[in-house]
């Protein structure tokens, strides 16, 4: 069955890293094709997956789509939007990457989101799984880019603030009645020692902790070199730990 996973959490906690590792996992299992969606205006999932990103969904307007009058003759609005979406889709081996790009005006992502909402379901239907990376903060939840998600993976680093931010994301998702099958909490860059220190706060906030991903020098080095996470060694501790998490999410064991 198709699984749609969205990643959320405080800034810099490892959302993009976990999204890329999820794609890597699915490729390794032959669970293809995968649709990877970069819904962060500061798009960098492409880099993490070693994909060259050309157009973005958000750039459609700059590309000349300000309104109906810009639609070439003979095309309906739907056809035009579909065509533009396909232009923002970068194809790679076993997966495609859709990059949302920058919002239209200050703080407004409406244009891109209205389009993506409308065509996402249709587009997603052509894939085995969908993995969506999101921006930090909660705004994207109110913009409802993460609708119809089987698993909302909420990431925190080894800090109380990250855990509290994760709690707010889970609460907001529930409050807003966003269709999330299951909210899962992941601690990233966390040692056993820091886990012990954080456990009281995790319990106090009733966080559904499903995985602890260790600090991994290999990931750090890939970032420094600008290398894709698809190239990092399979014996890297963070890859091994996240594979166990993804076994559970995708139930492919
Ligand atoms: N388990 C880990 N071990 C070592 N480094 C990590 C680990 N997870 C993430 N990092 C590093 O932490 C930094 C931030 O990670 P990442 O970009 O995935 O976070 P993010 O939540 O997507 O950030 P943003 O909010 O800016 O989008 C990156 O340099 C990444 O390589
Ligand atoms: Mg990110």
């Amino acid at each position: 069955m198709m699984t749609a996973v969205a990643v959320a959490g405080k800034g810099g906690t490892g959302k993009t890293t976990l999204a890329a590792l999820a794609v890597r996992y699915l490729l390794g299992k032959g669970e293809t094709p995968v649709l990877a969606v970069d819904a962060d205006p500061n798009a960098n999932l492409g880099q993490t997956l070693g994909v060259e990103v050309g157009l973005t969904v958000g750039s459609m307007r700059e590309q000349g789509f300000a309104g109906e009058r810009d639609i070439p003759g003979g095309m309906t609005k739907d056809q035009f939007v579909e065509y533009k979406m396909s232009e923002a889709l970068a194809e790679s081996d076993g997966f495609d990457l859709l990059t949302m790009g920058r919002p239209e005006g200050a703080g407004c992502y409406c244009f891109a989101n209205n389009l993506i909402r409308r065509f996402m379901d249709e587009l997603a239907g052509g894939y085995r799984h969908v993995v969506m990376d999101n921006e930090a903060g909660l705004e994207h939840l109110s913009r409802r880019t993460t609708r119809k998600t089987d698993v909302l993976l909420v990431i925190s680093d080894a800090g109380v603030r990250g855990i509290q931010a994760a709690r707010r994301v889970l609460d907001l998702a529930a409050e807003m009645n966003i269709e999330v099958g299951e909210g899962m909490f992941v601690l990233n860059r966390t040692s056993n020692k820091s886990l012990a220190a954080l456990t009281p706060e995790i319990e106090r906030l009733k966080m559904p902790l499903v995985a602890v991903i260790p600090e991994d020098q290999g990931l750090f080095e890939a970032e420094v070199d600008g290398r894709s996470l698809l190239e990092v060694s399979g014996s890297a501790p963070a890859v091994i730990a996240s594979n166990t998490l993804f076994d559970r999410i995708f139930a492919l064991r």
Side-chain angles (χ1 to χ4, degrees):
M1 226 192 41
M2 192 246 238
T3 312
V5 179
V7 183
K10 191 170 85 76
T13 51
K15 297 179 291 298
T16 304
T17 300
L18 267 298
L21 290 177
V23 173
R24 174 195 167 113
Y25 171 89
L26 291 167
L27 296 179
K29 294 282 181 185
E31 283 288 308
T32 57
V34 177
L35 176 63
V37 180
D38 191 346
D40 186 345
N42 283 306
N44 63 353
L45 184 60
Q47 224 167 3
T48 317
L49 291 170
V51 175
E52 196 78 44
V53 174
L55 288 176
T56 66
V57 174
S59 72
M60 276 184 212
R61 189 166 168 260
E62 290 137 48
Q63 297 290 319
F65 182 68
E68 311 250 354
R69 67 188 154 76
D70 295 313
I71 298 173
M75 257 190 186
T76 67
K77 190 178 179 179
D78 281 12
Q79 282 170 336
F80 183 71
V81 169
E82 227 179 321
Y83 164 68
K84 282 291 177 188
M85 290 278 283
S86 71
E87 279 194 329
L89 198 65
E91 293 176 11
S92 192
D93 209 8
F95 71 97
D96 292 344
L97 173 72
L98 186 69
T99 303
M100 302 267 289
R102 294 222 145 263
E104 182 173 349
C108 177
Y109 221 176
C110 320
F111 176 75
N113 281 349
N114 285 339
L115 294 181
I116 207 158
R117 201 176 307 152
R118 216 156 127 210
F119 286 91
M120 190 60 119
D121 284 346
E122 198 179 316
L123 184 71
Y127 295 87
R128 279 284 260 289
H129 303 284
V130 179
V131 176
M132 184 186 275
D133 182 24
N134 289 293
E135 68 189 297
L138 312 172
E139 291 77 13
H140 66 277
L141 289 175
S142 59
R143 291 189 210 115
R144 289 181 177 278
T145 49
T146 40
R147 218 152 52 159
K148 284 189 185 158
T149 300
D150 299 300
V151 174
L152 181 65
L153 214 50
V154 186
I155 318 295
S156 173
D157 50 15
V160 165
R161 279 189 297 270
I163 298 170
Q164 290 168 350
R167 180 74 266 170
R168 286 194 296 274
V169 170
L170 287 169
D171 289 346
L172 193 77
E175 243 167 62
M176 298 191 58
N177 221 352
I178 294 167
E179 285 181 55
V180 172
E182 195 175 345
M184 292 184 174
F185 175 54
V186 175
L187 270 178
N188 187 24
R189 312 186 79 159
T190 304
S191 64
N192 283 335
K193 196 175 159 214
S194 46
L195 175 61
L198 293 167
T199 297
E201 188 65 1
I202 293 167
E203 286 176 355
R204 188 180 74 81
L205 293 175
K206 299 186 168 58
M207 298 302 288
L209 180 64
V210 295
V212 177
I213 314 287
E215 173 73 24
D216 188 330
Q217 183 70 14
L219 296 198
F220 176 74
E221 281 163 13
E223 174 83 18
V224 170
D225 303 342
R227 253 182 309 127
S228 155
L229 289 187
L230 302 182
E231 289 165 23
V232 168
S233 160
S235 59
V239 174
I240 292 172
S242 66
N243 281 349
T244 306
L245 166 69
F246 299 133
D247 275 341
R248 176 164 168 184
I249 291 177
F250 298 104
L252 299 173
R253 250 175 302 189

